[in-house]
Amino acid sequence: MICLLMTVTAAGCYFAVRTYRELKPAIIAENYYKKIRDKVADKVTREPDAGKLKEWNRDSIAWLSGPGTPIDYPVVQGKDNDYYLHHLSDGTPNEIGAIFLDYRNKADFSGDISVIYGHHITLNRMFSPLSQYKEQTYYNQYPYMVLYTPEQTYKIELFAGTILNGENESFPMEFKRKKEKKEWIRKRMVESTFQSKVKPSAKDRIVVLCTCSYEFYNARYAVYGRLIEMER
């Protein structure tokens, strides 16, 4: 009986240690991002001051927040789309990574299409909440996000969400003709997992929020929104 208890106890300790090791990067990452939130938040409004982000890393360009959702992170931009998959926004190695803008995009979000990537992490962290936009009710509750940059604050009015194949995932950065952009937007809305009353025009700047999905091997889920300047 004693041997059995010792075996059970040993097994329990083993799985506890294994679970902790698996969760440790997420715990470290969340503590780090919480510290940044506290540091950059305005004492009165509690809104992030994107201008303070450079204190942690010169690659910091913005802050992304989904009011009412767990999405509330700094946005960085590296020299490629690999580095910040494995590093926090201050450059610390961590598999949780950071929320980052595609390296080919303009850092001020002035291009036709700006693509922001983030890991799909357990416990509803990083970009995992995006998957809930596959349900109409979730979109109805949280139809927009806010992007804070040092120069301007933007409302991201979400208008579509689509499941993609990561094997051939490709987002255009610029369009030569407005007709091409208008058609691209139309297709996203036709394929969308939710319906929106937001009708982007060819003049609108579009932000794509992309993360992993699990419908099939190498699936991706992308949520699309148009940028609207807000008063600061």
Side-chain angles (χ1 to χ4, degrees), residues 107-232:
D108 62 357
F109 298 88
S110 60
D112 279 342
I113 308 291
S114 298
V115 186
I116 302 177
Y117 297 96
H119 280 307
H120 188 290
I121 302 299
T122 56
L123 303 178
N124 213 28
R125 298 305 180 188
M126 302 302 283
F127 264 5
S128 62
L130 290 181
S131 63
Q132 298 186 60
Y133 281 102
K134 295 171 187 176
E135 301 294 332
Q136 183 69 41
T137 53
Y138 193 79
Y139 169 75
N140 291 343
Q141 283 184 287
Y142 311 109
Y144 73 93
M145 294 191 189
V146 181
L147 183 69
Y148 301 87
T149 74
E151 300 79 24
Q152 181 66 50
T153 298
Y154 299 95
K155 184 177 184 180
I156 305 177
E157 295 184 335
L158 306 178
F159 64 86
T162 63
I163 298 170
L164 308 168
N165 187 335
E167 294 293 331
N168 54 19
E169 171 197 316
S170 178
F171 299 107
M173 301 296 168
E174 300 288 343
F175 293 89
K176 293 182 179 180
R177 300 177 181 177
K178 291 183 179 180
K179 182 178 180 180
E180 294 175 354
K181 184 176 180 181
K182 188 175 181 179
E183 178 61 16
W184 182 85
I185 292 172
R186 187 193 69 81
K187 287 184 177 180
R188 304 292 83 77
M189 298 185 72
V190 169
E191 299 169 355
S192 181
T193 57
F194 61 83
Q195 300 302 307
S196 170
K197 293 182 180 180
V198 178
K199 307 297 181 183
S201 72
K203 295 181 180 179
D204 287 322
R205 287 176 286 166
I206 306 299
V207 169
V208 182
L209 310 175
C210 187
T211 192
C212 291
S213 196
Y214 301 99
E215 287 76 12
F216 49 84
Y217 175 73
N218 213 10
R220 300 285 186 273
Y221 185 63
V223 177
Y224 309 81
R226 67 176 177 183
L227 288 180
I228 301 295
E229 292 187 4
M230 297 176 65
E231 293 185 4
R232 304 192 71 164

Side-chain angles (χ1 to χ4, degrees), residues 1 16 19 22 25-26 29-31 43 46 55 70 78 89 92 94 112 131 133 146 172 179 183 192 212 232:
M1 184 66 171
T19 300
E22 292 177 349
E30 190 53 38
N31 287 337
K43 293 182 180 180
R46 301 306 297 170
E55 296 176 12
S89 67
T92 301
N94 189 304
D112 279 342
S131 63
Y133 281 102
V146 181
K179 182 178 180 180
E183 178 61 16
S192 181
C212 291
R232 304 192 71 164

